[in-house]
Every structure is written in C-alpha cells, then in structure tokens.
Amino acid sequence: MTEIEEIVEDNPNPRTWKHKVWNVTKLILKLAVTSALLYYVFSKQPISEIKDRLFHANYWWMLAALVMYFFSMVASAWRLMSFFKSINLRLDTRFNFRLYLLGIFYNLLLPGGIGGDGYKIYLLHKTYKLPAKRVFWAIAFDRLSGLWAIGLIVVTLTIFIPQIQEQIHLAIPMAAFLLGSVIYYVVVKIFFKDFTRHFFKGHAKAVIVQSLQVLTILCVLMGQDFHGKFAPYLLSFLISALAAVVPITFGGAGAREAIFARLSPIFHMNVGLAVFLSVSFYLTSLIVAMLGLYYVLRPKRLEEGLPSIGVNEGGNVENS
C-alpha cells in the first residue's frame, strides 16, 4: 500500500516504527543534500555578494517580480481546475485557490509528511468521496503539463543561445520536443482517455504559468540594472526548475543555485548574478507560500462562504 493510499483509508493502520524511521531518515537526507549543495554554491560565490545585490536592488522591480510570481500561482490554480474537470470535479474557484495556497505552503515549508499534493488528495477524497487515484492523476497531469511547458520554452530559448547552436542543430531539440509531445498525447489518449477532454486547454494554461515565472526572473534582472543577454539566464532558470522537481532538497533550495553555478561558465553568465536570481526566486516563492499559513492557523476559513457540496445530474461533483 502506498503512502497516498494509506492516508485515504477510512481506518488507516497505525504507522509502524519502520515508517517513522524512514520519514526521519528522509528528513535527514534532505537536510544533508540541501546543506551540501548550498555549501558548494557559496564556496564558488561569496554570500556577501548576494547580500550586496539584494540590498542594492531596485525594489520596485522586485515588487513587480513578486506580483508576477503571485499571478503565476493564480494561473497555476486555474490550470489545476482544468484537470479536476476531467474527473468531473468542479470546485468553487475561491476554494480551489485557497486550497492551492495551502498546498504550496505545505510543499515548500514542511519538510516531512505527504506534502501539499498529498494533502489535496486526502481532503478532496474525504470531502467529495472521489477515488484517491483519480485525484492523484489529475494532480499528476497538472504537474506534467508544467514540465511540458518548460520544455517548450526551453526549446524556444535555445534559438538565442550561441553555445548551444555551436554544438547541435536547432532542428534536433525541436524535433525531439515535437516527437515527445506526440508520444505523450498518444499515451494519455490510450491509457488516460478522461484527461484528453481538457488536455489542450490545461497545457495552454501551463504555458501561461511558466511565462509568468519567466517574467518574474526578467523583473529581478531589471532590478539589477541588467542590460546583457537575457536568454542564458532564463534558460538556466528553466533548467534549474526541472532539477528542483526532484524532491531531494527543501523546496528546491540548493538545487537551483547549484544548477545556476554550474551553467554560469558554460553560458558566460555572471555567476554572482546567476546565483542571486535563484536566491531571489526562492525568497519570492517563500513569501507567496506564506499566504497558505493563514489556512493552517484558521482551517475553517478554507471553505468559508462556500455552499453545500452535491452531485449534479451528470455525475459532476460541485458546490451547489
């Protein structure tokens, strides 16, 4: 039985000592990896320069970056609703956004447990009596759409990176992405047919989400009075976002910075600026994630003002 299946059982078995030991071990390993990566990064780039860049930044541009990131989270919640509709789950927009904020708080700030996605699966299963696996796949495809959008923008940015053009022909990454997209859709069509109903709409929204996060980085660059080539920094950011998906650090801390530090000499970037971008993005995401703390402290406000829950004639779960 998986961890997700365990949390949605009506009478879950008590966790054994093995589960508890494994959770503690994962926490220690994650702490060790995060610390090691940050040590590596700041051995290459003094933290004093990062602090200096932060203290002398144009805070209007930094505020703009914060606003862009917040709107990317709004768009992310909107994207998730498309995949929920695929399983006939039609949530109230307000409740969905509140739950999304709570989820990113759990994902970024709570090191152990099931995380934000696991909590959403648990709550939606418990509240709407939907099979946990269907909710799981809706959230999984939401994440996959984000990875697909990152791939699309990465391929687009390679056009503006001379170092990449010198190594491979542009047709190769484009063809690989197109082929991968076709295979991805065919697999969904064959094995997850329900998710093809809002497939293109959800993935179009994913492009909006990632574009807003790219704009977040652009705002941070402008806040540093940057006038060089933007593409290498944006590409490095997106590559670091892929690396941060692997849950080996706390909210991607350390992983993003390490990727930026490694790519800086390859793409001829200023390593201090590159690491600052990563740190700034993490701090920005941390500030927005803290909004979810409100619903941890006031859980009743999560569903405040919502009508009663019901199922319509078409079998759609919705607020009525």
Side-chain angles (χ1 to χ4, degrees), residues 52-232:
D52 186 64
R53 286 184 176 276
L54 181 61
F55 292 148
H56 294 89
N58 182 319
Y59 291 110
W60 287 110
W61 279 112
M62 298 300 285
L63 177 61
L66 182 64
V67 171
M68 287 296 173
Y69 183 79
F70 175 79
F71 278 119
S72 79
M73 292 297 98
V74 174
S76 293
W78 179 44
R79 177 187 67 190
L80 182 56
M81 288 188 71
S82 292
F83 294 99
F84 280 156
K85 288 178 182 178
S86 297
I87 59 172
N88 295 322
L89 176 59
R90 299 181 182 275
L91 297 179
D92 180 276
T93 304
R94 296 166 298 169
F95 171 66
N96 180 65
F97 184 60
R98 293 167 186 166
L99 184 59
Y100 199 87
L101 288 177
L102 183 59
I104 62 174
F105 172 79
Y106 281 148
N107 280 336
L108 193 64
L109 294 170
L110 296 187
I114 59 175
D117 291 340
Y119 179 76
K120 280 184 279 192
I121 293 169
Y122 165 75
L123 184 63
L124 293 174
H125 165 82
K126 180 180 178 181
T127 305
Y128 295 95
K129 308 304 179 185
L130 282 169
K133 288 185 178 179
R134 286 177 63 78
V135 183
F136 166 78
W137 282 114
I139 293 174
F141 278 112
D142 176 70
R143 290 297 188 93
L144 286 172
S145 72
L147 295 177
W148 177 86
I150 290 175
L152 174 62
I153 300 175
V154 164
V155 170
T156 303
L157 286 173
T158 57
I159 299 173
F160 306 99
I161 310 293
Q163 292 83 358
I164 295 178
Q165 296 178 31
E166 292 171 0
Q167 299 296 322
I168 57 175
H169 194 279
L170 289 176
I172 295 177
M174 291 180 180
F177 178 77
L178 288 174
L179 179 61
S181 298
V182 171
I183 294 173
Y184 172 39
Y185 181 75
V186 170
V187 170
V188 175
K189 186 75 172 178
I190 295 174
F191 298 103
F192 304 94
K193 192 172 182 179
D194 286 349
F195 291 98
T196 59
R197 287 187 290 170
H198 300 280
F199 184 87
F200 296 105
K201 184 184 296 184
H203 284 69
K205 292 176 181 178
V207 175
I208 295 174
V209 173
Q210 299 305 327
S211 297
L212 286 168
Q213 296 201 2
V214 167
L215 287 175
T216 300
I217 293 298
L218 279 173
C219 288
V220 177
L221 282 169
M222 295 303 294
Q224 291 293 300
D225 195 29
F226 180 74
H227 298 289
K229 294 182 179 179
F230 292 95

Side-chain angles (χ1 to χ4, degrees), residues 251-288:
R256 290 182 186 273
E257 289 79 5
I259 294 294
F260 266 103
R262 290 291 296 172
L263 293 177
S264 291
I266 298 174
F267 293 149
H268 306 304
M269 298 185 295
N270 181 304
V271 64
L273 177 59
V275 173
F276 173 76
L277 288 179
S278 181
V279 172
S280 295
F281 185 82
Y282 181 79
L283 293 175
T284 299
S285 62
L286 186 64
I287 292 171
V288 174

